[in-house]
């Protein structure tokens, strides 16, 4: 898709929930890999992460975020027309988590509810999807729940979060601008290779071996081609951001904050430097909240900007990128939105 | 033009090894205990941001020594 603009869509509010459990990338790593972890943490910029305990799922976090958001918005649940969940951590392979949440949140059965299978790029796509329904006049109020439970004690990158964003019809709302892209030729760059129909689970996939850190691994684990992801992110994202700004005819000075997917420090700093953006306009949550996959834009907006965004008018450029490969940007004006502080559950 | 000595200095700063190593142009990358995926990422970023040269993972896999890396500058 080339760039597009949606009108009559108001960004009404956002809430973000992370697990209470804090995992320290260095201190909680096995002693034999702690020195290696120090170097890794320094370079990926991630020191602590939030990990769900065994019993907790992404949808539990998203549920807490949604309940808080709806209460603070004072929306009547009967008025919610759509509930779109953007996740790669569903409660079950099927049915869709969004439908389970429709009931759990006690939303009406008239709610449009389905899941979208996107990861780190997902937030702008979710906004565009629900925003399009509103802009088309099909619905008045919609929720986008974005996040994942992708954290794992073994690997230092991913952290868990669930988020909720509320959009509503408003004839006076400023326009939202989007640039959304896909490149399936890179699907192997980040992949869970086993468990789908191309490679169903077989007993042989479950055979585990210990890695150098003493962690058990098997072929059910996520495969991430670091150099490929880095090249993709640092080559595709800066021009996509420039393209969107050019399309809209805005300069970087007209954007108050640039919120990027929190991939890792090397990727994020390279993107920031290529776009020549000052650090103070590019908030980060990598250090304390890790890479929260698709939730990382809401996590960063909430954890770093919730007080600012709940007062006055601010223009944000939001940019997600990753698994797919998929990358999308949005320019969104946030005007006195409901923005509760980070929730821990 | 960046000399190989300057390159080695910038490379060592980029890969940020925990344990200090002395590098020569003919040092084999495989002999460096910390030449790993993180080093590969750091090297790709170094080439992109400092030398304006886009290299990818397979370019690095073909490099046996430090001077092979230097030669990627073209």
């Amino acid at each position: 898709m080339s760039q597009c603009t949606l009108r009559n869509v108001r960004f009404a509010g956002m809430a973000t929930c992370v697990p209470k459990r804090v995992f320290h990338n260095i201190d909680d790593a096995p002693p034999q890999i702690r020195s290696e972890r120090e170097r890794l943490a320094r370079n990926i910029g991630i020191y602590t992460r939030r990990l769900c305990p065994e019993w907790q799922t992404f949808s539990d976090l998203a549920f807490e975020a949604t309940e808080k958001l709806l209460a603070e918005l004072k929306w009547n649940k009967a008025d919610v027309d759509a509930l779109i969940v953007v996740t790669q951590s569903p409660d079950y392979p099927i049915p869709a988590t969004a439908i389970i949440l429709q009931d759990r949140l006690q939303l009406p059965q008239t709610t449009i509810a389905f899941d979208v299978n996107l990861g780190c790029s997902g937030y702008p796509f979710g906004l565009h999807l629900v925003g399009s329904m509103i802009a088309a006049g099909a619905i008045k109020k919609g929720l986008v729940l974005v996040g994942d439970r992708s954290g794992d004690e073994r690997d230092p990158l991913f952290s868990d979060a669930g988020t909720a964003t509320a959009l509503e019809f408003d004839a006076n709302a400023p326009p939202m601008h989007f640039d959304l892209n896909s490149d399936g030729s890179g699907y192997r760059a980040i992949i869970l290779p086993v468990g789908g129909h191309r490679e169903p689970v077989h007993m042989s996939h479950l055979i585990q071996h210990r890695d150098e850190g003493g962690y058990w691994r098997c072929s059910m684990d996520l495969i991430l081609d670091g150099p490929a992801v880095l090249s993709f992110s640092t080559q595709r994202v800066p021009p996509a951001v420039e393209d969107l700004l050019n399309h809209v005819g805005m300069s970087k000075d007209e954007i108050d904050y640039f919120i990027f997917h929190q991939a890792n420090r090397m990727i994020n700093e390279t993107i920031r430097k290529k776009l020549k953006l000052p650090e103070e306009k590019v908030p980060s949550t990598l250090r304390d909240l890790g890479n929260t996959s698709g939730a990382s834009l809401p996590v960063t907006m909430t954890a770093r900007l919730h007080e600012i965004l709940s007062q006055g008018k601010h223009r944000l450029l939001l940019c997600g990128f990753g698994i797919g490969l998929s990358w999308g940007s949005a320019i969104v004006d946030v005007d006195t939105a409901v923005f509760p502080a980070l929730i821990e559950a | 033009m960046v000399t190989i000595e300057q390159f080695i200095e910038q490379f060592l700063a980029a890969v940020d090894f925990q344990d200090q190593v002395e590098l020569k142009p003919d040092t084999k990358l495989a002999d460096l205990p910390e030449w790993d995926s993180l080093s590969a990422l750091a090297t790709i970023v170094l080439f992109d941001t400092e030398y304006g040269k886009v290299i990818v993972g397979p370019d690095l896999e073909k490099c046996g020594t430090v001077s092979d890396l230097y030669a990627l500058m073209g």
Side-chain angles (χ1 to χ4, degrees):
Chain A
M1 189 194 75
S2 56
Q3 294 83 9
C4 80
T5 297
L6 297 180
R7 299 183 196 283
N8 305 325
V9 184
R10 179 171 178 272
F11 187 102
M14 169 185 280
T16 296
C17 181
V18 295
K20 282 182 187 158
R21 182 179 167 222
V22 179
F23 185 87
H24 294 259
N25 265 347
I26 298 169
D27 294 344
D28 291 335
Q32 67 269 33
I33 61 164
R34 222 166 270 167
S35 167
E36 180 190 317
R37 272 295 165 90
E38 281 174 15
R39 173 176 171 241
L40 201 53
R42 203 160 58 227
N43 283 280
I44 63 175
I46 299 171
Y47 287 85
T48 61
R49 298 179 290 132
R50 297 300 182 102
L51 300 183
C52 288
E54 190 94 9
W55 53 269
Q56 195 172 41
T57 67
F58 148 73
S59 76
D60 294 331
L61 303 173
F63 173 82
E64 298 293 337
T66 309
E67 286 283 22
K68 178 78 173 171
L69 180 61
L70 291 174
E72 295 219 358
L73 279 168
K74 300 186 174 62
W75 276 14
N76 184 341
K77 285 187 175 179
D79 293 339
V80 174
D81 300 308
L83 172 76
I84 304 304
V85 171
V86 181
T87 190
Q88 293 180 325
S89 317
D91 284 1
Y92 306 97
I94 52 173
T97 302
I99 303 174
I100 300 172
L101 280 170
Q102 169 271 325
D103 180 61
R104 190 172 169 199
L105 286 161
Q106 296 179 296
L107 299 178
Q109 291 185 1
T110 49
T111 305
I112 299 167
F114 59 88
D115 288 5
V116 173
N117 182 339
L118 282 172
C120 301
S121 67
Y123 191 70
F125 288 85
L127 282 187
H128 179 262
L129 181 58
V130 175
S132 297
M133 293 181 193
I134 293 170
I139 66 167
K140 294 283 189 206
K141 290 185 190 323
L143 296 168
V144 192
L145 276 49
V146 183
D148 274 306
R149 179 189 163 163
S150 44
D152 186 315
E153 287 194 10
R154 299 171 301 173
D155 297 305
L157 209 54
F158 295 111
S159 187
D160 304 333
T163 74
T165 301
L167 302 178
E168 64 183 344
F169 178 85
D170 181 344
N172 299 315
M176 288 184 179
H177 307 283
F178 293 89
D179 173 271
L180 305 172
N181 308 280
S182 315
D183 179 5
S185 72
Y187 79 97
R188 287 191 173 278
I190 310 171
I191 188 169
L192 206 51
V194 176
H197 291 273
R198 289 265 175 230
E199 185 73 32
V201 180
H202 179 265
M203 273 173 60
S204 62
H205 295 124
L206 305 174
I207 296 168
Q208 295 186 312
H209 65 277
R210 274 192 193 271
D211 68 11
E212 65 281 7
Y215 290 124
W216 289 104
R217 306 270 178 186
C218 75
S219 32
M220 300 285 291
D221 294 335
L222 184 84
I223 295 175
L224 193 152
D225 179 347
V229 174
L230 176 96
S231 297
F232 154 72
S233 309
T234 57
Q235 298 305 318
R236 307 282 185 92
V237 170
V241 168
E242 301 270 16
D243 284 352
L244 180 58
L245 286 167
N246 289 339
H247 169 73
V248 180
M250 277 181 202
S251 73
K252 289 172 196 160
D253 294 340
E254 291 172 82
I255 304 289
D256 295 311
Y257 296 100
F258 293 79
I259 319 287
F260 290 98
H261 164 55
Q262 303 289 292
N264 69 46
R265 195 186 66 81
M266 296 165 99
I267 288 176
N268 284 66
E269 277 298 282
T270 305
I271 290 171
R272 187 183 68 76
K273 286 175 184 166
K274 282 187 154 191
L275 285 165
K276 299 186 171 60
L277 301 174
E279 278 181 54
E280 60 272 18
K281 284 180 83 166
V282 189
S284 172
T285 42
L286 279 170
R287 187 180 181 88
D288 49 337
L289 294 163
N291 176 335
T292 43
S293 182
S296 72
L297 302 177
V299 163
T300 304
M301 290 163 74
T302 300
R304 297 292 176 262
L305 300 174
H306 81 97
E307 283 176 344
I308 291 170
L309 295 179
S310 58
Q311 296 166 5
K313 189 172 174 178
H314 301 274
R315 180 166 290 158
L316 309 179
L317 192 148
L318 312 171
C319 178
F321 52 90
I323 188 167
L325 299 166
S326 165
W327 64 109
S329 306
I331 295 173
V332 177
D333 286 350
V334 178
D335 191 355
T336 53
V338 165
F339 248 101
L342 191 68
I343 306 161
E344 296 181 318
Chain B
M1 182 64 189
V2 179
T3 65
I4 192 155
E5 289 76 20
Q6 289 168 324
F7 171 73
I8 286 173
E9 198 177 314
Q10 289 167 337
F11 171 76
L12 281 173
V15 295
D16 188 28
F17 291 148
Q18 282 287 88
D19 298 317
Q20 213 175 340
V21 289
E22 197 182 329
L23 291 188
K24 299 207 166 76
D26 61 354
T27 302
K28 290 193 174 113
L29 297 169
D31 290 343
L32 300 172
E34 295 182 79
W35 175 247
D36 57 5
S37 59
L38 185 65
S39 307
L41 300 190
T43 307
I44 292 170
V45 169
L46 172 71
F47 273 77
D48 188 2
T49 56
E50 295 297 322
Y51 313 137
K53 176 90 185 169
V54 176
I55 59 167
V56 292
D59 294 326
L60 294 176
E61 285 163 20
K62 288 178 201 148
C63 292
T65 63
V66 172
S67 63
D68 292 341
L69 286 179
Y70 178 67
L72 289 177
M73 256 189 262

